[in-house]
């Protein structure tokens, strides 16, 4: 559910940060808050698509998310990046990291539970490792990471109930959710190859990225949707929360975590998101849960964690 995550595969502006003042909240509390925010995002998407078209939900999400980051930039007196080449690369990053996956998840949740969408999102590290082995020559695999990749995809098959012939599963919606999770590492690798070391802050780059994604959806949405006959308040509030909290605020919390505890610890939030998404979907939306879903989710999370293990030295 991220934009450009400042880690080894996603940092557009890895610059040395000055000493920061003490945080109001301990990093563990902010870690838990971020897990909750992203976990509940799938529930908010489900509620939003109950009244609005997927493209409309995505556009609203980006509008509110961009507003939060623009406000943060104004408070910190930061400017948008400069340079045509930087903006061209950010346009591509905005498509793969925001416009495309956000839209795909919204379309997917028309026909699949929010719980399944959240679990599909946890496969991003698996796709990321698979792509990095091909696209990043310096990223060499180890036996543990290869085992994690295989285990993770075995978990996906378990979630989908492959041995039961995918019975009761909407293939199109599931495929869209998996494509959404696949889009993130494509964008991350692109960012790593084109935008690392630009000298701009993470806030500035992410603000510009979300702004570009908003423009992309503003162009596409009128072409494929029409104005709703009525504006349902509940779903509209869900979209507003999805954008302002689930996208804008989440990005600010995430970068604060990375700056304080490093990308390795911060990215572990990915493994808590499907758990929270599942609990929220079952308890609040009343979504059904087969035993294969939690068991497969655990296998996916373990496999994804193993793909992030690095050789020492």
């Amino acid at each position: 559910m991220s934009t450009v995550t400042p880690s080894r595969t996603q940092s557009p502006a890895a610059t040395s940060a000055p000493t920061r003042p003490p945080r109001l909240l301990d990093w563990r509390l902010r870690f838990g808050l971020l897990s909750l925010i992203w976990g509940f995002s799938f529930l908010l998407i489900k509620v939003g698509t109950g009244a609005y078209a997927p493209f409309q939900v995505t556009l609203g999400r980006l509008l509110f998310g961009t507003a939060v980051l623009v406000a943060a930039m104004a408070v910190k007196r930061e400017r948008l990046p400069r340079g045509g080449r930087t903006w061209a690369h950010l346009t591509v990053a905005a498509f793969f990291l925001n416009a495309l996956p956000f839209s795909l998840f919204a379309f997917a949740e028309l026909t699949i539970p929010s719980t399944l969408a959240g679990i599909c999102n946890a496969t991003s590290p698996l796709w990321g490792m698979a792509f990095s082995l091909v696209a990043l020559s310096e990223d060499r695999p180890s036996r543990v990471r290869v085992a994690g990749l295989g285990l993770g995809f075995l978990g996906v098959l378990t979630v989908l109930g492959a041995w039961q012939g995918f019975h009761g599963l909407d293939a199109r919606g599931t495929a869209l959710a998996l494509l959404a999770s696949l889009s993130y590492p494509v964008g991350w690798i692109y960012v790593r190859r084109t935008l690392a070391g630009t000298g701009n802050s993470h806030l500035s780059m992410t603000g510009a990225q979300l702004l570009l994604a908003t423009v992309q959806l503003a162009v596409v949405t009128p072409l494929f949707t029409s104005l709703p006959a009525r504006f349902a308040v509940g779903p509209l509030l869900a979209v507003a929360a999805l954008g302002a909290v689930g996208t804008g605020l989440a990005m600010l919390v995430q970068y604060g975590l990375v700056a304080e505890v490093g990308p390795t610890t911060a990215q572990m939030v990915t493994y808590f998101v499907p758990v929270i998404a599942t609990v929220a979907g079952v308890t609040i939306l009343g979504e059904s849960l087969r035993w294969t879903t939690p068991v497969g989710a655990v296998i996916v999370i373990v496999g994804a964690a193993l793909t992030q293990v690095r050789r020492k030295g």
Side-chain angles (χ1 to χ4, degrees), residues 224-310:
F224 296 96
T225 66
S226 57
L227 284 175
R230 55 183 292 270
F231 288 89
V233 176
L236 183 59
L237 291 175
V239 173
L242 177 65
V245 181
T247 303
L249 177 61
M251 288 300 100
L252 298 178
V253 174
Q254 183 190 33
Y255 288 132
L257 281 174
V258 171
E260 184 170 347
V261 299
T264 301
T265 299
Q267 72 183 0
M268 289 179 66
V269 71
T270 304
Y271 311 130
F272 292 87
V273 170
V275 177
I276 295 170
T278 299
V279 173
V282 172
T283 59
I284 299 177
L285 297 180
E287 295 176 344
S288 61
L289 190 67
R290 298 180 299 175
W291 70 267
T292 55
T293 302
V295 171
V298 170
I299 298 174
V300 168
I301 292 170
V302 172
L306 289 176
T307 65
Q308 305 306 302
V309 174
R310 299 279 163 169

Side-chain angles (χ1 to χ4, degrees), residues 25-146:
L25 290 177
D26 182 81
W27 74 265
R28 296 169 187 83
L29 294 177
R30 285 179 281 123
F31 183 97
L33 176 63
L34 186 58
S35 300
L36 285 171
I37 289 174
W38 275 342
F40 271 86
S41 292
F42 295 96
L43 179 150
L44 295 174
I45 293 172
K46 192 72 171 179
V47 174
T49 53
Y52 301 103
F55 279 138
Q56 293 170 344
V57 171
T58 304
L59 176 58
R61 174 183 188 175
L62 289 168
L63 279 170
F64 285 105
T66 301
V68 170
L69 289 183
V70 169
M73 290 176 62
V75 170
K76 295 188 176 183
R77 298 183 179 180
E78 291 198 19
R79 296 180 178 180
L80 290 170
R82 295 182 179 181
R85 177 171 294 184
T86 297
W87 279 89
H89 289 316
L90 280 172
T91 300
V92 178
F95 176 75
F96 283 109
L97 290 172
N98 303 114
L100 180 60
F102 289 1
S103 298
L104 288 175
F105 272 124
F107 275 101
E109 291 200 42
L110 290 175
T111 55
I112 67 172
S114 63
T115 54
L116 180 56
I119 293 170
C120 287
N121 181 71
T123 64
S124 281
L126 304 178
W127 299 118
M129 178 192 161
F131 286 148
S132 67
L133 296 180
V134 176
L136 302 173
S137 58
E138 72 274 17
D139 202 357
R140 294 294 89 195
S142 64
R143 291 181 180 179
V144 172
R145 297 181 69 205
V146 171

